[in-house]
Amino acid sequence: VSGRAVAAGDPADELEPVLPLDDIQGNVIPGFNKRHQRLLGLRISDLGAAKRWLARIAPEVTTAAEVQRYKELRRELKARRGGGPSGLAAGWTNLALSAPALRRLVGAGEVDRFEDEAFKVGLFPRAALLGDPDDDEDSPGSPRNWTIGGSEATSLDVLVVVAADVPEMLQFHVERVVAALGASGAGAPEVVYEESGGDLPDGLRGHEHFGFKDGLSQPGIRGRLPWDPKAFLVPRLIAPDHPMAGDLAQPGQPLIRVGQFLFGWAGQDRLLPREPARRREGPAWADNGSFLVFRRLRQDVAAFRGFLRETANELRGVDGLEALSEEHLGALLVGRWASGAPLMRASGADDPRLGADRGASNDFLYDQPSPAFPLLDAAHGDLPPAPADPDGLRCPIWAHIRKVNPRDITTDQGSSSDTLTRRVLRRGIPYGPAFRPGEEHAGAPPDRGLLFLSYQTSIADQFEFLASTWMNDVEKPQDGGGGGHDLLVGQNPRGGQRRTRTASLRTSLAGAVVAHAISTERAREWVIPTGGGYFFAPSLSALVDTLAR
Ligand code: HEM
């Protein structure tokens, strides 16, 4: 089901270009999505040795073509065998460089050609803008206390992402990166940071540490496969003769111009969904590359659960909220139940069938009911539909997923077309051990959280915009009032307000609409920034022909 036939030379080619997948790094598109990952952070000292290492490592850098072909093979094998494991395993490597590293490699003038200020300045000077507690030196989230990247001295020049299906394969590929460093001569870049990420065990596979299924909603990138120009990178599920077939990859997944994620291509227009917007500016060698945001976000699971327990308890004292469970309050914060089932389709209780169905779990809007489409691969069965919820009675307007992707809602920025320009490709993975019940009584919690990774062509207008303009602002994004902070991840950046976060819960659990304010000023935050950096993931050709030269 990967494609709608379009003849060569069709004007739709401009809208859906053939993507040069062998020039693009594979974690940008289609994304590694592997169970075992390792991040390696390097510091460059000698420039010549750094270039020699880049030349040596370039053949190890996995392309989008390799990842896409692997995924296709895996799908084919599974389909032929009627499910079960594919028996395939692979190990992959990608890398990205910071602005200071690029300045040394190609000159400051070249880096100045990027229009994105955020990338050029780097992450830690933007901490205050992101709402991090940089005004409070004692706070663990202050850049002064970050594990990595909280100052110039601890900032990384290169971030290498290694991913594999099995730990032995991961180790093999990590060793190849290290061996290439060893073979690059005196002054080779040094590994100053190393961190393992991995899928959580057993029932938590695919979930983040608070227990919610993650990685469900990704943008529908426009574009075709070079080896089969009739086929699309992102599978299309709507019957081709339907008028919306050219706008959605599948219900709930609007199509977006590839220029939002790769340099050198037309971007998404803020008003007209099919019109091209100008390309993001950058040096010529940036084409087919992408900015990579890395945020090391520590998660304090006991603090989060404590908040849910105390707040649910308090809310149960309110008329009409007597039945509110901790589990339900958690779902209201996320916008999805633990299984991934969206509140928009399952408002009263979790429905794991919805979480497990990749199509249905994203098929919902907020302002309008999700329309029924004729589907090519329709197996949604009798799953509950997604009605409209403009006022946030099912899914609060401050729920995490509604804050960062308000879908068809009119926002403070204008129509929902603008929202498409804010999307990012999320490639994060948990780090640290899974939470064990009772562990909170055994001293300080272990370090665990999310290695948040996202690709985009504007850090300021995409990643930072989502965090600072929408998650951290009580009034946004919903036009006419947002009613709260993103209580899952957001911050109140105003130190003067003692970082109190608020949200006004309006729900109709027992029929009648009940409104009640939630306010939290916690000694213990549950999402604590502890490091990161802003990087650029170059194309394969830029790596070989420009950066390694
Ligand atoms: C520890 C921190 C975080 C946790 C625990 C978390 C958790 C989640 C969960 C459980 C989902 C639902 C799964 C899905 O729809 O794919 C989600 C979705 C999402 N998150 Fe986060 N998140 C975190 C940080 C962030 C940050 C920092 C951003 C960006 C600024 C972000 C952006 C998004 C986006 C764009 C979606 C998809 C929403 C949609 O399209 O409906 N998240 N997150």
Side-chain angles (χ1 to χ4, degrees):
V1 239
S2 60
R4 177 160 75 100
V6 174
D10 191 303
D13 283 348
E14 185 274 325
L15 191 61
E16 304 274 5
V18 171
L19 300 169
L21 296 188
D22 51 5
D23 197 33
I24 299 164
Q25 295 200 45
N27 202 25
V28 185
I29 52 172
F32 285 169
N33 196 20
K34 290 274 187 221
R35 292 193 65 190
H36 304 277
Q37 302 203 15
R38 186 87 52 87
L39 300 186
L40 299 175
L42 312 183
R43 287 282 287 188
I44 291 175
S45 46
D46 180 78
L47 198 55
K51 284 181 177 277
R52 283 195 296 279
W53 175 71
L54 288 173
R56 274 184 185 277
I57 201 70
E60 303 281 332
V61 173
T62 309
T63 68
E66 288 157 0
V67 177
Q68 179 68 18
R69 281 189 181 274
Y70 174 93
K71 291 189 173 183
E72 284 176 10
L73 176 60
R74 191 167 171 274
R75 248 195 320 266
E76 279 165 30
L77 274 169
K78 286 174 91 112
R80 188 164 67 78
R81 292 178 185 160
S86 69
L88 295 178
W92 293 327
T93 301
N94 268 188
L95 63 82
L97 300 110
S98 69
L102 290 177
R103 284 189 192 102
R104 293 188 60 196
L105 289 164
V106 292
E110 286 294 299
V111 177
D112 283 344
R113 290 177 200 267
F114 282 112
E115 66 181 89
D116 192 62
E117 273 310 306
F119 172 67
K120 290 188 275 192
V121 170
L123 173 61
F124 76 85
R126 309 282 276 191
L129 179 142
L130 292 169
D132 297 351
D134 79 326
D135 52 345
D136 177 3
E137 283 184 32
D138 298 331
S139 167
S142 160
R144 280 167 232 270
N145 302 317
W146 286 5
T147 314
I148 200 74
S151 68
E152 217 152 288
T154 63
S155 286
L156 301 173
D157 289 323
V158 187
L159 187 70
V160 183
V161 181
V162 187
D165 293 283
V166 287
E168 295 76 11
M169 214 171 231
L170 184 78
Q171 192 54 31
F172 172 81
H173 286 275
V174 168
E175 281 166 17
R176 288 187 70 86
V177 174
V178 174
L181 289 168
S184 303
E190 200 186 332
V191 179
V192 294
Y193 165 71
E194 187 166 356
E195 182 126 34
S196 294
D199 213 354
L200 297 180
D202 309 324
L204 285 176
R205 276 187 77 169
H207 294 233
E208 51 70 48
H209 279 290
F210 295 146
F212 297 90
K213 186 104 160 258
D214 203 359
L216 291 169
S217 171
Q218 294 284 7
I221 306 165
R222 289 191 188 273
R224 298 163 194 282
L225 301 177
W227 50 85
D228 180 5
K230 289 192 180 119
F232 294 104
L233 174 76
V234 176
R236 308 293 161 92
L237 295 193
I238 297 178
D241 51 354
H242 191 277
M244 293 293 285
D247 296 304
L248 301 170
Q250 47 181 303
Q253 194 184 30
L255 290 164
I256 299 178
R257 295 265 181 168
V258 71
Q260 296 303 118
F261 314 107
L262 288 177
F263 281 89
W265 300 89
Q268 182 71 24
D269 190 76
R270 292 184 60 186
L271 295 171
L272 303 166
R274 286 198 190 193
E275 288 303 305
R278 69 174 183 82
R279 300 164 179 203
R280 303 262 205 226
E281 279 170 37
W285 50 265
D287 285 6
N288 294 329
S290 188
F291 287 137
L292 170 61
V293 168
F294 164 40
R295 288 273 272 172
R296 186 182 190 278
L297 298 172
R298 170 132 56 89
Q299 289 175 263
D300 187 336
V301 179
F304 179 68
R305 291 194 175 185
F307 165 75
L308 291 185
R309 196 169 47 245
E310 287 164 28
T311 310
N313 203 19
E314 180 195 320
L315 290 171
R316 279 194 291 269
V318 176
D319 276 353
L321 295 180
E322 294 86 351
L324 187 77
S325 64
E326 285 165 39
E327 187 198 3
H328 196 160
L329 182 61
L332 292 167
L333 260 58
V334 176
R336 293 184 184 273
W337 296 90
S339 76
L343 279 172
M344 288 305 303
R345 299 188 67 150
S347 65
D350 198 352
D351 183 344
R353 291 175 309 160
L354 276 165
D357 186 317
R358 287 200 90 73
S361 70
N362 261 314
D363 179 4
F364 60 92
L365 299 169
Y366 297 112
D367 197 39
Q368 299 291 325
S370 187
F373 291 101
L375 297 180
L376 293 178
D377 183 19
H380 289 355
D382 57 352
L383 295 171
D389 184 31
D391 301 323
L393 297 179
R394 290 172 81 94
C395 177
I397 51 189
W398 42 264
H400 177 60
I401 66 164
R402 192 161 170 164
K403 278 274 206 189
V404 289
N405 182 11
R407 299 187 182 220
D408 61 334
I409 293 283
T410 301
T411 74
D412 58 309
Q413 302 296 313
S415 81
S416 59
S417 298
D418 175 84
T419 299
L420 299 181
T421 71
R422 309 296 173 184
R423 305 297 327 269
V424 298
L425 300 172
R426 286 178 303 134
R427 304 289 184 239
I429 183 134
Y431 73 90
F435 179 79
R436 282 177 297 103
E439 152 199 302
E440 60 272 39
H441 309 298
D447 188 7
R448 63 164 67 90
L450 181 67
L451 302 171
F452 176 92
L453 298 168
S454 72
Y455 290 98
Q456 56 272 297
T457 45
S458 172
I459 295 175
D461 291 346
Q462 291 169 272
F463 166 74
E464 285 188 346
F465 176 89
L466 293 180
S468 61
T469 308
W470 281 356
M471 293 197 319
N472 293 355
D473 193 317
V474 264
E475 295 301 330
K476 294 173 183 167
Q478 186 135 337
D479 196 28
H485 290 104
D486 174 340
L487 294 182
L488 184 75
V489 188
Q491 306 290 330
N492 177 349
R494 292 181 194 87
Q497 297 176 2
R498 299 204 291 178
R499 308 183 67 81
T500 304
R501 286 176 291 154
T502 56
S504 137
L505 178 65
R506 291 184 74 237
T507 183
S508 53
L509 273 185
V513 176
V514 180
H516 194 78
I518 302 176
S519 176
T520 160
E521 182 206 322
R522 311 281 304 179
R524 266 166 80 183
E525 296 283 349
W526 46 86
V527 173
I528 304 131
T530 51
Y534 290 164
F535 302 91
F536 174 73
S539 68
L540 275 287
S541 54
L543 190 57
V544 175
D545 300 333
T546 306
L547 305 178
R549 280 276 159 86

